[in-house]
Amino acid sequence: VVFSSDGTKIASGSNDSAIRIWDVRSGQCENTLKGHDDSVNSVVFSSDGTKIASGSLDKTIRIWDVRSGQCENTLKGHDDSVNMGCQLCCVFIRWNEDCLWIT
């Protein structure tokens, strides 16, 4: 699970092989990205929030367009599942009015 840099979206990966993009305010799923053949272990937004990279047990990394939900590229070459190596080291906490944001 990861927040977009502007804090308006969350992307989550799941054992159902899908990535879901959620609107933080409404709690609604905005898009479901399908293409992996196994569980999605890691997701990360690009710094500008327009792309998502995902890693999976299917040994691939996929690059997705956030708006269209289309897979733009599939990177192959790993011999085992792809995991996010350092998710927690990239977490920043900031205060915005009376809310705590973790991005």
Side-chain angles (χ1 to χ4, degrees):
V1 175
V2 65
F3 276 91
S4 60
S5 61
D6 64 3
T8 63
K9 297 182 186 331
I10 292 174
S12 60
S14 176
N15 288 338
D16 66 4
S17 305
I19 299 141
R20 287 182 172 74
I21 302 172
W22 305 87
D23 179 86
V24 171
R25 291 195 189 272
S26 71
Q28 297 296 311
C29 180
E30 293 183 340
N31 208 344
T32 301
L33 314 180
K34 295 182 179 180
H36 280 293
D37 295 324
D38 209 333
S39 298
V40 177
N41 295 332
S42 58
V43 291
V44 64
F45 279 95
S46 61
S47 59
D48 64 2
T50 63
K51 308 280 187 231
I52 288 176
S54 58
S56 171
L57 284 177
D58 69 7
K59 305 176 188 175
T60 67
I61 300 165
R62 291 183 183 253
I63 310 299
W64 307 86
D65 180 85
V66 171
R67 286 197 179 137
S68 71
Q70 296 298 306
C71 179
E72 296 185 337
N73 202 353
T74 301
L75 311 177
K76 299 177 181 179
H78 284 281
D79 294 327
D80 206 344
S81 63
V82 180
N83 301 295
M84 180 64 74
C86 186
Q87 248 174 334
L88 294 179
C89 68
C90 299
V91 172
F92 299 96
I93 298 174
R94 64 183 168 88
W95 288 98
N96 183 4
E97 297 175 15
D98 58 347
C99 296
L100 175 66
W101 290 93
I102 302 173
T103 58

